[in-house]
Amino acid sequence: MEDEVDRLVAAWRRERPDLDVEPLEVLSRVSRLARHLDRARRLAFSEHGLEPWEFDVLTSLRRAGAPYQLSPGQLLTQTLVTSGTMTNRIDRLAKKGLVERLPDPSDRRGVLVRLTPEGRDRADEALAGLLAQERAILAQLSQAQRGDLAGLLRQLTAPFDNIPG
């Protein structure tokens, strides 16, 4: 079965036979897959009235376990945004009733962000929708192939995920 990347690589091999375009065979597919995944994620989230960034914050809190709360600094670490952006996001989610701010009992100047019951329900529903979309994307691969692919992708991403700072 031929795909768009096969056509792209063939054209570059024809036009630039002096270059080794083999990396395109893998990374162009990863890039294209990321775009398809982004569309699927946006669809899954919009069905539950969420934006991707809202899902990221809500699921960070959900994964924290009961009582589903983190400090803004912990949320920053998990979502990789600036503190100003995170403050804005928390404000917007609080206005929607999906999170609440509470005083941090261990730091009287600090706050904790806690998922509300509605926020938890939305996060859970959106996650289920996302997983259905992702299962559909992976449907043509066997369980063993999915495991192999996950391992190979881990090898590529781990060095980026483990850079200090």
Side-chain angles (χ1 to χ4, degrees), residues 10-74:
W12 278 122
R13 284 189 172 133
R14 182 187 67 242
E15 295 299 317
R16 292 296 309 270
D18 56 311
L19 294 176
D20 175 11
V21 296
E22 187 265 341
L24 295 175
E25 294 188 66
V26 174
L27 299 177
S28 289
R29 285 186 174 95
V30 169
S31 177
R32 291 177 65 78
L33 182 58
R35 283 185 239 137
H36 291 296
L37 180 57
D38 185 56
R39 284 188 203 130
R41 291 171 67 90
R42 287 182 182 281
L43 175 63
F45 304 151
S46 70
E47 289 174 352
H48 300 284
L50 296 175
E51 294 292 327
W53 67 265
E54 292 172 313
F55 178 83
D56 289 344
V57 174
L58 297 177
T59 56
S60 292
L61 294 165
R62 180 66 172 97
R63 287 190 311 270
Y68 312 111
Q69 65 188 26
L70 295 170
S71 70
Q74 290 170 310

Side-chain angles (χ1 to χ4, degrees), residues 144-157:
Q145 288 171 320
R146 290 191 305 267
D148 290 345
L149 181 58
L152 291 168
L153 291 170
R154 184 181 302 108
Q155 279 184 272
L156 288 177
T157 60

Side-chain angles (χ1 to χ4, degrees), residues 21-132:
V21 296
E22 187 265 341
L24 295 175
E25 294 188 66
V26 174
L27 299 177
S28 289
R29 285 186 174 95
V30 169
S31 177
R32 291 177 65 78
L33 182 58
R35 283 185 239 137
H36 291 296
L37 180 57
D38 185 56
R39 284 188 203 130
R41 291 171 67 90
R42 287 182 182 281
L43 175 63
F45 304 151
S46 70
E47 289 174 352
H48 300 284
L50 296 175
E51 294 292 327
W53 67 265
E54 292 172 313
F55 178 83
D56 289 344
V57 174
L58 297 177
T59 56
S60 292
L61 294 165
R62 180 66 172 97
R63 287 190 311 270
Y68 312 111
Q69 65 188 26
L70 295 170
S71 70
Q74 290 170 310
L75 284 169
L76 289 175
T77 300
Q78 292 195 22
T79 59
L80 301 175
V81 298
T82 67
S83 61
T85 297
M86 182 53 66
T87 298
N88 181 283
R89 289 179 176 186
I90 293 168
D91 289 345
R92 291 170 67 186
L93 288 168
K95 283 181 186 171
K96 286 184 161 188
L98 302 176
V99 302
E100 59 185 344
R101 283 189 174 88
L102 303 169
D104 185 342
S106 63
D107 176 2
R108 57 188 182 118
R109 292 177 299 159
V111 298
L112 293 172
V113 180
R114 180 182 292 169
L115 201 55
T116 64
E118 182 183 348
R120 180 179 171 187
D121 290 347
R122 286 264 204 102
D124 286 350
E125 292 165 2
L127 177 62
L130 171 64
L131 292 172

